[in-house]
Amino acid sequence: MMKGTARLATLLTVTVSSLALVVPSIAYAQDTAPAPQNPDDTSNQDQGADTQTKDEIVVTGVVRATRKLDTTFTIDTLNRDDIQRLAPISTADLLNNIPGFFAEGSTAGERSNNVTVRGLPSSGYRYAPQLVDGMPVFQDSDVPFANSDVFFSADLMTDRVEAIKGGPGGTLYSNGLGGVVNFVTRTGGDHFEGGYKLELATYGFIRNDVFLSGPITKNLHFAVGGFYRTSNGLRDTGYTADRGGQVRGNLTYNSDDGTTNIGLFATVLNDRTAVYNNLPIQVPGFSNPGTADDPIKIDSKTVRPIGINFQNGTLLSPSNRYVTQIDNSGRITTADLADGIHPDFVTLGAKFSKELDSGWRFDFEANYVDGTSGFNALFAGNDAATAESFLANRWVGDVLQPAFDANWQQSEGTPNNSPFYNRNILATYFNAASPTDFNNNYKNPILAAGFGNFDQIRALYGANQTIAGPGGYIGAFNVSDGKPIPAGSFLSFEIPWIVKSKLTSATQNLKIQKDFDLFGSHHLTFGAYHSTNSDNYDFQAALTISTLASPSELVNLYVIDAAGNKVGPSLSLNGSFLPGFYGNAVDGDAENFAGYVLDHWELFNSRLRIDAGFRWETERLNVRFRNRTCCTSFIPGNAPNGNRAFTQVQTLGDPQYLEDRYYGHGWSVGANFAVKRNLAVYALASQSFRLPSLNDGIAFAQSAPLADPVEKITQFEGGVRFQSRFIDASATGFYNKFTPRTLINTYQDIHSSLCTAGGSTATTATITSCPNISEAYAYGTTNYGAELEVVIRPPFVPGFDIKANVTLQDPKVNGSGYTVVNQVGNSYEYRTISQDGRREGRQATTTLNIQPRWDLKPLTSLPVKLYGQYEYRSARYSNSQDINVTLYPSYYVVNAGALVDLTRNLSVQVHVANLTNQLSFTEGDPLFFDLKAPDGVSNRGVARPLFGRTGRLTVNYRF
């Protein structure tokens, strides 16, 4: 596993030591031709405008480089200085600074965060595909277990970031239904330039970035760079949590007359990053479920952790780093959670453009991605309890109950091959005439008595039972050293996910362009797009038991006597209570063809600009899906009959297939009118679409979609932009309607005879043996909103400006109803969920981002730049239900820092994130009124907290 990282480190070392000789690959930048100048005379211009203000040029969502002020849609940009000042820890953290985007605070770590755009459902990067120089990092922006931020990382080779929402994004790019983010790469110029950055952080973070670019000949230029990083982790994992990096480079050729341009590029990425998930929480007790009118409200001042602190604690630890699983053939395997998210990809690309004497222009671009990705993550079970309570439940639910079920079914004449029948550590029969008697005489009294009352538990067994030892209980012992866990420990189930994926993607895009005059000037573009992509992955989850502490400890369970002596073998396997818990395996591929046309029309001396486009696309989707089904027994020859670790293994079942073809079309019409040289108004109407992803194909293979499987969004927006010496401002209002998407809800059939505990009386542990039911349902949204961006440069404070943006929205669910299984005490029941008309889960109605900046040099001659940031998110619902509705609180984060220019080329930056150590949660599960915390009074749940305060020191050298 270390070979790839070592190879990458070697590549970066070579790059640093001999940059002038290393040009391993080639890339291109999109059109960088000057923006068309407004031919208006000075009488039509704002005489107060700052003539020194630079016109910002954008290349995303347009077919020719355009002033940002002149675009017919909403576009936001972040340049190199912005990225440096924001000091983002991840792609998602960077996108959080773009109005209309919400990336949940990047609390999952450096990769695999969730991003939402203008109220669309939260689903990785499904509705916000990531591009590099206009081409997708991977064709499918909804890859299972591999979000778009897995395939690429921003570094010193990143020149700027451009993000659009709706409009031409759905015409020019595949999957551009919600928003499109484009990372524009540095390319070489006529002069040599380069840079080196050393970044250190308070959590053992060390990162080296480097780049070099310049001419090779008059017409041939290069750029090369990359990064390598190691880190102990934003949360204290107890081992190296993050390690790896990337190297990328490009070579560009431009002919003397500018009519021929060629670019080649390559990126080698090999990285590992930890995944941070929800942590156990407890809140003041409540006795009724939350409703839409009266939700359960989480208060940051009263919420408390259960065993693991919120600032830098994590479930990950050296003890639970290695996960024991049993694979499909019964082989015992070990997975390393320290691998975390592990992308290992090579990306190659090319661009060619040619302009003919006739005025026709041809642009061809292509990229190819190949490699593997791992997703080794640990999820918290919502089972936090004292050791006494947790083990009492295990004794009843996982020892007595299965043994009784096996013997009862046998006594009724039902053939039973259960490994719990006649097991050597339990009685061969119970003093109970029926399941009801068993519940009344054994199960319920034992749970009520609690694990600690040995005498009462012993009395409940009855005189007719034969039990090994003078009593029968379950004890927990550390896997690491075999010692019994302390009496005051908290225990809980945890769920490791182990995924291995093999991924490929190839895309080609051809544009044919021609300018002509007809009632104004037209720039007409015809495009053809083709792509193929494939994904082959295996996903297996385990069920482990660990302490809730820092660090947490994996535990094994044993039947013990009253003196605490082990009686019989472990009921778990190296801490894995169910080494083969659930999962699936998929082999899928897709092929897309698209054609599009876009006309850029300029009228009235280019004061009025109109963009009108249309896209048609078809997709062939082929999926072979195998679900893990319960249960296969892999009892070794010397293992005791009845060890759940070997008997409750879910193995891959028969394949389910989907092979289908889908079609979609969309359009956009937008206009921009230049009221003055520095003032413009614009409006846009569009309908975009998204063809099914591999994730959808997996769902459709299990249950046919309810409606049209092609997702659509209808969007209207309008706004105004203004630029002057003292203020830049942009205001946008928007409305979108997202047509219901077919989703698949999976829940357990609690009435099935296959359930270990015999139906609706199933206990917490044994419900996992109930077969799954796949239920199709529809999910759509509507949203009204507004976005405001402003930069103010007060003339009375030299060097000072303040940048701010605010987003207001009201996303509502449209068309959603499905079934859930709710735990009520020690049994389960079905509930029907409906969210129609409700605010969408995990969506803030208000976001605010304020960034003051002050360059002290104009006023004091000190080469110091001070900056700060205040980021606010309003309250958000959990992944909402119609019952147990839970509202997570609003929160704010304050960041601050300073940049000091030591010389013309050398600077130092100090950055502090979450300066006030703010506590809140970016997401969380619903809280259930009948799930009590270990103290028996509070209620428990799981949620993902913000990272605590961190500090960062960066040294930058550029020439």
Side-chain angles (χ1 to χ4, degrees):
M1 298 295 290
M2 296 298 294
K3 290 182 179 179
T5 301
R7 178 187 64 185
L8 186 60
T10 301
L11 281 171
L12 190 59
T13 301
V14 173
T15 303
V16 174
S17 61
S18 53
L19 281 169
L21 300 177
V22 179
V23 187
S25 53
I26 308 172
Y28 78 95
Q30 293 191 9
D31 288 340
T32 56
Q37 296 298 311
N38 191 329
D40 292 354
D41 59 31
T42 56
S43 62
N44 290 327
Q45 298 178 12
D46 183 359
Q47 300 299 321
D50 182 4
T51 58
Q52 296 180 349
T53 299
K54 294 182 179 179
D55 290 331
E56 189 169 4
I57 306 302
V58 296
V59 297
T60 309
V62 295
V63 292
R64 62 191 304 178
T66 304
R67 285 198 315 162
K68 182 178 178 180
L69 188 69
D70 297 332
T71 58
T72 60
F73 51 90
T74 303
I75 183 166
D76 298 281
T77 58
L78 297 169
N79 59 33
R80 298 178 203 168
D81 291 339
D82 293 327
I83 296 171
Q84 180 184 18
R85 185 181 62 256
L86 293 168
I89 63 172
S90 67
T91 298
D93 198 22
L94 181 65
L95 297 185
N96 248 347
N97 296 282
I98 297 175
F101 282 75
F102 177 42
E104 296 189 342
S106 196
T107 49
E110 291 193 20
R111 298 190 189 275
S112 200
N113 289 276
N114 293 312
V115 175
T116 64
V117 184
R118 285 185 172 176
L120 288 172
S122 178
S123 181
Y125 285 72
R126 180 183 179 92
Y127 304 113
Q130 308 293 287
L131 314 177
V132 176
D133 298 317
M135 294 297 282
V137 295
F138 195 88
Q139 160 61 23
D140 187 352
S141 57
D142 188 33
V143 180
F145 310 106
N147 289 350
S148 289
D149 58 359
V150 167
F151 297 92
F152 168 79
S153 291
D155 55 22
L156 286 184
M157 288 286 288
T158 301
D159 183 68
R160 65 190 185 277
V161 179
E162 300 178 354
I164 63 176
K165 287 153 280 188
T171 301
L172 296 176
Y173 310 109
S174 186
N175 299 326
L177 183 146
V180 173
V181 180
N182 189 22
F183 293 81
V184 182
T185 306
R186 290 178 186 261
T187 55
D190 293 333
H191 302 282
F192 282 102
E193 63 173 323
Y196 169 73
K197 180 175 73 172
L198 172 64
E199 205 169 357
L200 308 173
T202 52
Y203 47 91
F205 176 96
I206 304 174
R207 173 166 165 156
N208 292 272
D209 283 69
V210 66
F211 88 95
L212 180 68
S213 66
I216 297 175
T217 67
K218 176 184 175 182
N219 303 106
L220 187 63
H221 302 81
F222 81 96
V224 62
F227 77 91
Y228 186 83
R229 177 262 296 107
T230 63
S231 167
N232 293 337
L234 284 149
R235 297 189 175 278
D236 187 10
T237 62
Y239 49 79
T240 301
D242 309 321
R243 62 194 189 280
Q246 73 182 11
V247 175
R248 58 182 177 138
N250 59 73
L251 192 67
T252 54
Y253 170 83
N254 302 293
S255 63
D256 288 336
D257 60 5
T259 62
T260 303
N261 299 277
I262 301 173
L264 302 172
F265 67 86
T267 299
V268 177
L269 170 66
N270 192 326
D271 197 19
R272 293 173 175 84
T273 55
V275 187
Y276 305 109
N277 288 306
N278 292 351
L279 296 178
I281 66 171
Q282 55 185 332
V283 300
F286 55 90
S287 56
N288 296 307
T291 65
D293 296 327
D294 186 21
I296 299 163
K297 296 181 179 179
I298 308 297
D299 185 345
S300 295
K301 296 179 180 178
T302 59
V303 66
R304 292 178 295 149
I306 304 178
I308 299 175
N309 75 80
F310 293 140
Q311 279 71 30
N312 66 350
T314 175
L315 296 169
L316 299 170
S317 73
S319 172
N320 65 25
R321 171 176 173 175
Y322 297 101
V323 178
T324 300
Q325 293 183 314
I326 298 178
D327 67 14
N328 215 51
S329 63
R331 184 171 58 99
I332 297 175
T333 63
T334 302
D336 187 358
L337 288 176
D339 276 347
I341 297 174
H342 181 191
D344 186 357
F345 290 105
V346 173
T347 301
L348 304 173
K351 177 184 179 181
F352 171 78
S353 67
K354 178 66 177 178
E355 186 171 355
L356 304 179
D357 294 339
S358 60
W360 288 94
R361 178 184 173 95
F362 297 85
D363 287 278
F364 177 77
E365 49 197 357
N367 71 352
Y368 176 74
V369 182
D370 181 72
T372 61
S373 183
F375 185 91
N376 291 5
L378 185 63
F379 291 82
N382 191 1
D383 308 282
T386 61
E388 291 82 0
S389 175
F390 187 89
L391 295 174
N393 274 283
R394 303 291 71 72
W395 174 251
V396 171
D398 302 308
V399 177
L400 294 184
Q401 182 82 59
F404 171 78
D405 288 346
N407 286 276
W408 175 259
Q409 293 171 14
Q410 187 71 20
S411 67
E412 290 289 289
T414 303
N416 192 293
N417 297 319
S418 169
F420 293 96
Y421 181 61
N422 281 331
R423 60 181 298 163
N424 64 345
I425 60 173
L426 289 175
T428 57
Y429 66 97
F430 288 80
N431 185 22
S434 68
T436 300
D437 286 343
F438 173 80
N439 288 341
N440 292 336
N441 296 333
Y442 291 89
K443 179 179 178 179
N444 295 333
I446 289 175
L447 291 174
F451 178 79
N453 193 333
F454 292 144
D455 292 335
Q456 187 171 356
I457 292 174
R458 186 183 301 111
L460 290 168
Y461 292 154
N464 293 328
Q465 290 201 61
T466 302
I467 299 175
Y473 325 101
I474 286 184
F477 299 81
N478 290 337
V479 171
S480 59
D481 56 18
K483 294 180 180 179
I485 66 165
S489 296
F490 299 142
L491 292 177
S492 182
F493 284 120
E494 318 298 347
I495 307 172
W497 284 15
I498 308 300
V499 184
K500 298 177 182 178
S501 302
K502 176 73 172 73
L503 297 149
T504 61
S505 173
T507 57
Q508 306 90 43
N509 190 37
L510 173 65
K511 290 184 292 187
I512 302 174
Q513 299 175 313
K514 174 68 173 175
D515 292 348
F516 64 93
D517 293 330
L518 179 66
F519 303 107
S521 62
H522 295 260
H523 186 78
L524 184 63
T525 300
F526 297 96
Y529 179 86
H530 173 256
S531 72
T532 57
N533 68 93
S534 65
D535 185 1
N536 187 320
Y537 77 78
D538 184 271
F539 161 45
Q540 184 173 0
L543 188 67
T544 62
I545 301 174
S546 74
T547 62
L548 295 178
S550 294
S552 61
E553 287 281 346
L554 275 181
V555 300
N556 275 328
L557 302 186
Y558 292 84
V559 173
I560 60 173
D561 59 24
N565 299 312
K566 298 175 183 176
V567 179
S570 171
L571 301 181
S572 49
L573 186 63
N574 298 328
S576 288
F577 194 63
L578 293 177
F581 189 26
Y582 65 87
N584 53 64
V586 168
D587 184 5
D589 61 81
E591 183 174 26
N592 291 59
F593 292 93
Y596 58 91
V597 59
L598 190 143
D599 183 28
H600 177 75
W601 183 15
E602 297 186 5
L603 300 152
F604 310 121
N605 291 325
S606 297
R607 294 187 64 179
L608 175 63
R609 295 172 170 85
I610 298 173
D611 288 322
F614 178 84
R615 184 183 185 93
W616 176 89
E617 189 166 352
T618 181
E619 174 189 67
R620 177 198 55 78
L621 184 60
N622 182 28
V623 175
R624 179 177 180 266
F625 171 78
R626 299 179 69 192
N627 207 356
R628 296 189 185 274
T629 58
C630 190
C631 291
T632 301
S633 178
F634 291 111
I635 300 176
N638 59 353
N641 195 19
N643 190 319
R644 287 178 61 86
F646 291 101
T647 61
Q648 299 290 305
V649 179
Q650 292 199 359
T651 55
L652 290 172
D654 295 333
Q656 297 168 282
Y657 296 94
L658 172 81
E659 186 169 2
D660 209 341
R661 182 170 289 279
Y662 307 95
Y663 302 89
H665 66 272
W667 53 266
S668 67
V669 178
N672 179 298
F673 181 72
V675 180
K676 293 186 177 182
R677 177 69 171 81
N678 64 335
L679 175 65
V681 294
Y682 68 99
L684 171 73
S686 65
Q687 185 179 84
S688 304
F689 66 96
R690 194 196 196 287
L691 298 179
S693 68
L694 180 62
N695 265 322
D696 298 317
I698 294 169
F700 299 162
Q702 300 174 75
S703 179
L706 293 174
D708 186 355
V710 177
E711 300 167 80
K712 300 181 180 68
I713 185 172
T714 300
Q715 180 165 300
F716 302 94
E717 68 174 274
V720 58
R721 299 189 185 100
F722 174 74
Q723 292 179 350
S724 73
R725 177 178 302 176
F726 305 122
I727 185 171
D728 295 343
S730 174
T732 304
F734 66 87
Y735 164 80
N736 62 49
K737 181 177 182 181
F738 173 65
T739 58
R741 170 192 177 193
T742 296
L743 296 176
I744 302 299
N745 174 50
T746 301
Y747 61 95
Q748 290 89 1
D749 182 2
I750 59 176
H751 300 308
S752 170
S753 60
L754 298 177
C755 294
T756 302
S760 60
T761 57
T763 63
T764 302
T766 56
I767 191 175
T768 57
S769 65
C770 299
N772 289 334
I773 297 176
S774 296
E775 173 190 30
Y777 70 99
Y779 192 101
T781 62
T782 58
N783 192 16
Y784 294 89
E787 298 165 0
L788 173 66
E789 292 183 88
V790 62
V791 179
I792 301 174
R793 295 176 287 270
F796 49 83
V797 185
F800 178 81
D801 67 40
I802 185 167
K803 181 180 181 180
N805 66 66
V806 60
T807 301
L808 306 174
Q809 62 177 5
D810 187 23
K812 296 288 182 68
V813 177
N814 173 31
S816 170
Y818 55 92
T819 304
V820 298
V821 177
N822 272 4
Q823 183 176 358
V824 180
N826 291 297
S827 62
Y828 291 84
E829 65 181 17
Y830 290 134
R831 294 286 184 91
T832 299
I833 299 303
S834 176
Q835 301 179 65
D836 288 354
R838 293 261 308 281
R839 193 207 308 173
E840 192 178 350
R842 299 165 74 161
Q843 301 279 358
T845 58
T846 303
T847 64
L848 178 63
N849 195 319
I850 302 175
Q851 301 173 34
R853 304 172 292 186
W854 193 7
D855 184 352
L856 298 180
K857 193 170 184 178
L859 185 66
T860 67
S861 297
L862 294 174
V864 178
K865 301 179 181 72
L866 304 177
Y867 64 88
Q869 182 180 26
Y870 174 86
E871 183 182 350
Y872 169 82
R873 304 281 173 174
S874 62
R876 300 149 325 282
Y877 286 99
S878 66
N879 283 335
S880 297
Q881 300 181 4
D882 195 49
I883 53 177
N884 303 309
V885 180
T886 303
L887 186 66
Y888 282 85
S890 63
Y891 69 88
Y892 68 88
V893 174
V894 176
N895 304 321
L899 281 159
V900 181
D901 294 324
L902 301 179
T903 69
R904 182 178 179 180
N905 304 107
L906 180 65
S907 67
V908 175
Q909 178 181 5
V910 177
H911 181 89
V912 180
N914 197 1
L915 182 65
T916 60
N917 220 20
Q918 171 78 0
L919 168 64
S920 192
F921 306 90
T922 59
E923 64 168 289
D925 287 354
L927 267 64
F928 297 83
F929 73 95
D930 55 346
L931 292 184
K932 294 299 180 181
D935 62 11
V937 177
S938 305
N939 284 79
R940 72 174 188 254
V942 292
R944 191 155 67 186
L946 299 172
F947 296 120
R949 179 171 48 242
T950 58
R952 188 173 300 235
L953 173 67
T954 304
V955 179
N956 280 284
Y957 179 77
R958 293 183 179 179
F959 63 89

